[in-house]
Amino acid sequence: MSAFAIYRLPHEDCATLVQQTEGEPAEFLSCTELNGKHGFVVAPFEVTAQQPILLIRPDKVESRKVESGKWKEEGDILSAEESIAEYSLSSFHFPLSSKSTYFIDFANYHAQLEAGVFRKIVLARCAEEVSEEAIDPMELFSRACELYPRMFISLVSTSKSGVWLIATPEILLEGKAHDWHTVALAGTMKLEGDSLMGEGEKVTWATKDIQEQRIVTTYIAECLEQFTGDFHEEGPRTVRAANLVHLRSDFSFKLPDGQHLGDLLHALHPTPAVCGLPKRETFKFIIQNEHTPRRYYSGFMGMLDPDGGTHLYVSLRCMNIEGNRYHLYAGGGLLTDSTVSQEWLETEAKLETMRRVISQSNVLKT
């Protein structure tokens, strides 16, 4: 079965199918190998030989309005039953993150912060949801598009990664030719009651959230300084994503040569929004200590096309689909004044994004 990705950009009503009709996607062990490349990228948090960066070759590209089952009728997208048979990832089965293991991880991570080893570190967890019957992946994609018009929605299927659905608000890199854009996104607050009718404009941010967002912003500015002296920062401002709001700063910048985007991606990924600071030390600590491997969660995916238009997003609010079982991922940034109860509730709020897609609750569209 050929590899494919289908994605819809924020605030658009059309989705784009990118399909590789023959062979397997190219595999890379470093973002730098993406220099000069063109295709749909699926990158993990930790790159390994068993979990590489994948590049789906765009043998077939077409766009249509998002309608339930539309692509499936054309024979391009796997049905749920075929997905089970084709991509049953038994080799990836692992213990899920229970509340007790999350509390253990939090204590371990927070001790490092209190000792001054890290300035910030992100703790993630994985939860499993089960439906009575397998839901067609394309139907899940359509539901996500309907529920979350503000987000980047993507459904990806390859033999190496399995089937993943993401709904994310975070741009990693976007643009074409000489004009580029990225964001610093951090801080999370849940909207409830009457606040769901607005964009979060009345939210008052805690010092912890402001500090976390500033850490990410400073890191991105330092990364961009390695590649260009021509960049401009705006923000932070409050932005809404589903029933959550975040603090966001936008960076617009010029690049003399779009053929070296892999080098820039290598510098940016993983950002402190999904990893921590110092980057190398927190990354190593997460790999060695987090109870559940993140796999393609908190990596990035999207279209890489230096000339025609690049749209790469951090893989947040995502799930791995295995028949009628769904592995949902979420995380949150820890600082010295973080508390385990608040952080647990934040991950629960983030997991709700994909839980709503599975249950298709009749709630207000956000």
Side-chain angles (χ1 to χ4, degrees):
M1 179 66 197
S2 61
F4 73 83
I6 180 169
Y7 68 93
R8 190 220 62 195
L9 296 175
H11 303 291
E12 293 196 357
D13 59 0
C14 287
T16 301
L17 170 71
V18 180
Q19 186 174 18
Q20 182 168 330
T21 55
E22 295 182 357
E24 297 293 330
E27 299 181 8
F28 303 111
L29 296 179
S30 171
C31 288
T32 59
E33 296 179 67
L34 294 173
N35 284 336
K37 297 297 192 297
H38 176 208
F40 193 95
V41 179
V42 185
F45 177 70
E46 179 195 17
V47 181
T48 66
Q50 294 73 37
Q51 191 173 268
I53 298 169
L54 303 171
L55 184 68
I56 300 174
R57 188 177 64 242
D59 296 334
K60 178 180 181 180
V61 179
E62 60 178 88
S63 296
R64 296 185 197 159
K65 286 190 175 182
V66 179
E67 297 177 19
S68 179
K70 186 71 172 182
W71 297 96
K72 177 188 170 188
E73 291 171 5
E74 299 296 321
D76 296 320
I77 300 297
L78 290 171
S79 69
E81 292 77 18
E82 289 171 329
S83 296
I84 298 168
E86 190 76 14
Y87 299 142
S88 58
L89 303 179
S90 57
S91 61
F92 285 111
H93 287 171
F94 44 74
L96 300 174
S97 305
S98 65
K99 194 169 186 177
S100 61
T101 59
Y102 180 85
F103 277 41
I104 291 169
D105 282 349
F106 179 92
N108 188 15
Y109 281 43
H110 199 255
Q112 302 298 311
L113 293 166
E114 290 183 316
V117 178
F118 308 136
R119 293 174 57 199
K120 171 191 173 178
I121 187 167
V122 175
L123 174 58
R125 54 180 281 238
C126 178
E128 184 178 81
E129 297 288 323
V130 180
S131 60
E132 292 184 4
E133 296 182 354
I135 308 169
D136 191 290
M138 188 56 215
E139 173 62 24
L140 293 171
F141 173 82
S142 298
R143 293 180 188 179
C145 289
E146 184 178 7
L147 284 168
Y148 306 123
R150 296 175 178 86
M151 295 192 188
F152 173 83
I153 313 294
S154 182
L155 175 70
V156 172
S157 178
T158 78
S159 59
K160 197 80 173 186
S161 66
V163 183
W164 288 77
L165 177 68
I166 73 167
T168 177
E170 185 170 354
I171 298 167
L172 181 64
L173 184 63
E174 197 168 53
K176 61 181 178 180
H178 302 294
D179 298 314
W180 297 90
H181 176 220
T182 188
V183 304
L185 193 77
T188 301
M189 195 175 300
K190 186 175 181 179
L191 295 177
E192 297 178 304
D194 292 342
S195 62
L196 285 166
M197 303 304 294
E199 297 297 318
E201 57 272 10
K202 296 183 180 180
V203 163
T204 300
W205 290 98
T207 301
K208 180 257 183 186
D209 295 302
I210 296 170
Q211 290 176 339
E212 184 182 349
Q213 205 275 340
R214 176 45 53 184
I215 287 172
V216 179
T217 300
T218 301
Y219 171 82
I220 290 178
E222 291 173 349
C223 285
L224 294 180
E225 287 172 350
Q226 302 173 41
F227 296 88
T228 177
D230 187 359
F231 69 89
H232 176 68
E233 176 188 345
E234 292 185 357
R237 60 190 174 94
T238 300
V239 295
R240 182 172 174 178
N243 63 336
L244 305 176
V245 286
H246 306 282
L247 281 170
R248 168 173 162 168
S249 293
D250 288 75
F251 292 86
S252 55
F253 56 98
K254 301 282 187 180
L255 288 179
D257 184 0
Q259 296 304 310
H260 291 85
L261 297 181
D263 295 336
L264 177 56
L265 291 168
H266 181 72
L268 289 172
H269 175 69
T271 74
V274 297
C275 186
L277 282 176
K279 174 178 172 177
R280 184 175 300 176
E281 288 80 359
T282 52
F283 178 82
K284 183 178 180 181
F285 187 87
I286 289 168
I287 297 304
Q288 294 176 344
N289 290 277
E290 212 160 63
H291 263 85
T292 305
R294 296 187 183 188
R295 301 172 59 205
Y296 286 88
Y297 163 69
S298 67
F300 63 92
M301 66 174 65
M303 198 65 193
L304 178 65
D305 185 353
D307 299 316
T310 290
H311 302 280
L312 298 174
Y313 282 72
V314 181
S315 301
L316 306 176
R317 319 291 195 272
C318 67
M319 64 179 173
N320 175 222
I321 303 169
E322 292 186 282
N324 69 331
R325 294 183 178 273
Y326 313 91
H327 292 142
L328 283 59
Y329 294 80
L334 309 187
L335 300 178
T336 53
D337 58 350
S338 298
T339 66
V340 67
S341 57
Q342 289 176 333
E343 296 300 329
W344 174 264
L345 290 175
E346 180 176 319
T347 60
E348 281 292 295
K350 290 175 176 176
L351 290 171
E352 186 62 25
T353 300
M354 281 298 166
R355 284 174 175 154
R356 286 176 64 191
V357 174
I358 298 168
S359 64
Q360 199 180 24
S361 301
N362 293 319
V363 296
L364 178 69
K365 296 177 187 178
T366 55

